[in-house]
């Protein structure tokens, strides 16, 4: 793969946020060149090596089964796939449909896929026993929410001994785009100089039908607002205006396990925005650092623009409003957010939203092997392949 070098890098304490890097050539055997010639070149072999150390988590809630099947088929066989479902169990048992599809997929492809339902009582019990209660409700079940599902995926990825954990949404209509995301994650990790790295996808465009013809829009409405406020939060500390953050809401993203273990997460749809805030809080040097190792090694955030367009399910205005609220609340709640900025962000909150602003903490204390053994014993995980 050949990638542009980032034209700019914003430094915030020990955190480096690289500007967008475009994919120039999707696939090449090529030389290993980290930019001496102005372009980074990552050999196909190195991409496959990293993919074998990567788990891909697919959070899913009541998506079209054919679309989910396309997403599975797009993920290289080197990767462990972990499907974390919160799909309905009645009147139609959607989870059972997903399970059957996964079993059939693995029968024919002979690859490794794990699948769990996030509200399975066995998962709640295992989390309670391994002292991670932040994502449980009063009855001891894991709460609804994409963030909650993602954290379960991270725990399983760690239990599987993976060095990298990545996410792809289950409502990606183009399998080719998903395949590109995974290659891009691996290429960026190959280029990273620090063991604490994150890769966020910035799609080339989001196609939609407008006035009867196809229109390839560049920015989603929610991301435009959230990018602006995250950039303002950075500027309010550096004293320089910046437009560096372009992927505040990137659902399709990946982290080294070493970085994932250092972070706190946030429930529902605030999680992607909060990951950046948490990195700035912990390693940005403004607040007291919580861990000296990433402070010394640095934390790198890559923002990669794919060749493929991003085409996903349109879930309507109410959903977008809630997603915006979750992200804005994550920004407002940060001790890095100044009073002036808090007021500005508050004015953007949609008129009606459910106030969800809980941190779901960090999972570093969880004994992930014990967690996995418990859920195997309770029959709460299906491990195919
Ligand atoms: N396990 C689990 N639990 N998965 C969930 C849940 C849940 O409670 N809620 C949603 N999902 C899954 C969906 O099925 C989908 O695969 C993925 O999480 C994203 O959720 P969507 O509801 O489809 O969100 P979106 O497509 O509108 O927004 C996505 O892109 C945004 C950026 O454009 C999400 O990834 C956002 O987080 C992201 O900000």
């Amino acid at each position: 793969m050949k990638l542009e070098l980032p034209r700019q890098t914003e430094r915030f304490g020990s955190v480096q946020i690289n500007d967008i890097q475009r994919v120039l050539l999707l696939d090449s055997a090529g030389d290993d060149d980290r930019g001496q010639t102005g372009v980074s070149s990552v050999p196909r072999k190195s991409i496959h090596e990293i993919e074998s150390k990567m788990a891909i988590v697919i959070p899913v809630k009541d998506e079209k089964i054919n679309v989910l099947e396309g997403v599975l088929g797009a993920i290289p066989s080197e990767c462990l796939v972990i499907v974390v479902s919160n799909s309905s169990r009645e009147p139609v048992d959607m989870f059972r449909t997903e399970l059957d599809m996964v079993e059939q997929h693995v029968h024919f492809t002979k690859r490794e896929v794990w699948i769990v339902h996030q509200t399975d009582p066995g998962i709640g019990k295992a989390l309670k026993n391994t002292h991670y209660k932040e994502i449980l409700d009063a009855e001891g079940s894991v709460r609804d929410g994409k963030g909650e599902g993602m954290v379960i995926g991270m725990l399983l990825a760690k239990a599987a001994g993976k060095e990298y954990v990545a996410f792809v949404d289950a409502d990606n209509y183009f399998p080719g785009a998903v395949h590109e995301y995974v290659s891009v994650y691996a290429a960026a990790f190959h280029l990273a100089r620090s063991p604490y790295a994150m890769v966020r996808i910035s799609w080339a465009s989001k196609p939609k039908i407008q006035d009867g013809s196809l229109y390839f829009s560049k920015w989603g409405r929610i991301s435009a607002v959230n990018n602006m406020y995250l950039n303002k939060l950075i500027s309010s500390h550096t004293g320089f205006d910046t437009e560096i953050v372009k992927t505040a809401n990137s659902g399709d993203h990946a982290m080294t396990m070493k970085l994932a273990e250092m972070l706190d997460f946030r429930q529902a749809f605030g999680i992607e925005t909060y990951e950046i805030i948490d990195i700035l809080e912990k390693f940005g040097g403004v607040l007291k650092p919580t861990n000296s190792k990433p402070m010394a090694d640095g934390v790198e955030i890559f923002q990669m623009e794919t060749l493929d367009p991003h085409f996903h399910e349109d879930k309507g205005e109410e959903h977008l409003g809630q997603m915006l609220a979750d992200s804005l609340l994550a920004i407002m709640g940060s001790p890095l957010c100044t009073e002036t900025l808090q007021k500005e962000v508050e004015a953007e909150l949609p008129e009606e939203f459910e106030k969800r602003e809980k941190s779901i903490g960090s999972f570093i204390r969880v004994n992930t092997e014990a967690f996995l053994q418990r859920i195997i014993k309770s029959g709460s995980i299906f491990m195919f392949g």
Side-chain angles (χ1 to χ4, degrees):
M1 178 177 290
K2 292 193 188 287
L3 296 152
E4 252 181 10
L5 280 184
R7 268 183 232 123
Q8 203 204 335
T9 298
E10 186 82 44
R11 290 176 179 80
F12 192 90
S14 297
V15 183
Q16 280 190 18
I17 308 177
N18 290 335
D19 207 347
I20 295 286
Q21 291 174 256
R22 280 188 312 141
V23 173
L24 301 172
L25 185 63
L26 251 183
D27 189 21
S28 64
D31 317 320
D32 191 346
D33 180 346
R34 306 204 177 202
Q36 288 91 326
T37 57
V39 169
S40 299
S41 181
V42 184
R44 190 179 297 142
K45 193 169 140 274
S46 310
I47 290 184
H48 292 323
E49 265 165 31
I50 293 189
E51 284 170 348
S52 64
K53 300 176 195 161
M54 195 186 294
I56 308 287
V57 176
I58 310 177
V60 57
K61 186 174 182 191
D62 298 325
E63 302 294 351
K64 294 189 178 86
I65 198 74
N66 297 4
V67 179
L68 175 62
E69 193 173 9
V71 170
L72 279 183
I75 297 172
S77 56
E78 283 86 348
C79 305
L80 166 67
V81 177
I82 301 173
V83 180
V84 183
S85 173
N86 191 19
S87 297
S88 38
R89 308 297 313 255
E90 52 183 18
V92 177
D93 190 346
M94 279 298 292
F95 179 62
R96 171 55 56 189
T97 311
E98 290 161 1
L99 205 57
D100 290 347
M101 182 275 286
V102 167
E103 190 171 13
Q104 194 181 40
H105 171 79
V106 173
H107 176 76
F108 289 117
T109 58
K110 310 281 177 252
R111 55 102 55 92
E112 209 182 354
V113 183
W114 295 0
I115 173 167
V116 294
H117 194 281
Q118 86 183 52
T119 64
D120 187 289
I123 304 257
K125 248 189 221 151
L127 287 170
K128 194 170 164 222
N129 286 325
T130 47
H131 314 292
Y132 186 56
K133 297 186 197 154
E134 286 92 329
I135 55 176
L136 303 180
D137 63 18
E139 280 76 49
S141 288
V142 174
R143 284 192 305 260
D144 283 344
K146 184 189 177 213
E148 285 78 347
M150 284 169 57
V151 170
I152 294 173
M154 286 188 257
L155 291 173
L156 293 174
K158 191 179 164 202
K162 295 294 172 182
E163 288 177 33
Y164 306 94
V165 59
F167 304 94
V168 290
D169 286 348
D171 61 343
N172 274 304
Y173 271 81
F174 293 163
V178 173
H179 188 261
E180 185 182 7
Y181 298 162
V182 178
S183 309
V184 165
Y185 298 150
F189 288 134
H190 177 77
L191 296 175
R193 280 163 302 184
S194 164
Y196 305 96
M198 173 178 276
V199 191
R200 304 174 72 97
I201 298 292
S202 165
W203 33 86
S205 61
K206 271 188 176 181
K208 50 176 91 154
I209 307 286
Q210 196 165 297
D211 300 328
S213 56
L214 257 186
Y215 179 74
F216 292 85
S217 71
K218 176 78 191 139
W219 303 110
R221 280 170 298 163
I222 307 296
S223 340
V225 177
N226 283 321
N227 287 337
M228 178 179 76
Y229 286 114
L230 267 185
N231 283 320
K232 283 191 179 200
L233 183 131
I234 294 173
S235 310
S236 67
H237 291 277
T238 59
F240 288 85
D241 263 344
T242 183
E243 293 186 331
I244 196 76
V245 178
K246 298 188 174 76
T247 54
N249 287 85
S250 185
D252 301 301
H253 68 289
M255 280 176 267
T256 58
M257 190 56 79
K258 280 197 159 81
L259 177 61
E261 284 177 330
M262 296 281 148
L263 298 185
D264 282 275
F265 296 95
R266 206 174 168 88
Q267 67 172 189
F269 290 107
I271 186 162
E272 287 95 1
T273 304
Y274 187 68
E275 283 167 5
I276 297 190
I277 294 174
D278 197 47
I279 289 174
L280 297 176
E281 286 179 7
K282 291 199 162 98
F283 315 115
V286 177
L287 307 174
K288 197 167 175 284
T290 50
N291 196 300
S292 58
K293 190 82 174 54
M295 293 304 286
D297 293 344
V299 177
E300 287 174 271
I301 301 180
F302 292 86
Q303 303 183 95
M304 314 298 264
E305 185 179 300
T306 54
L307 288 176
D308 277 284
H310 181 72
F311 192 60
H312 70 149
E313 193 72 38
D314 185 349
K315 307 230 167 86
E317 288 300 316
E318 198 182 317
H319 170 70
L320 288 181
Q322 186 60 53
M323 202 146 72
L324 178 64
D326 285 351
S327 308
L328 292 178
L329 289 167
I331 299 176
M332 277 171 64
S334 170
L336 292 177
C337 189
T338 61
E339 221 172 287
T340 323
L341 189 56
Q342 272 188 9
K343 285 197 183 116
E344 235 184 289
V345 178
E346 198 171 3
E348 291 279 357
L349 280 171
E351 273 176 19
E352 284 193 31
F353 61 91
E354 187 194 333
K355 196 163 182 184
R356 313 184 284 210
E357 47 179 325
K358 277 206 188 109
S359 165
I360 49 179
S362 143
F363 63 81
I364 193 156
R365 77 199 104 109
V366 178
N367 179 339
T368 51
E369 273 168 38
F371 170 69
L372 181 60
Q373 287 313 318
R374 279 178 189 278
I375 64 173
I376 291 175
K377 217 166 156 201
S378 63
S380 309
I381 184 165
F382 300 83
M383 301 163 100
F384 296 107

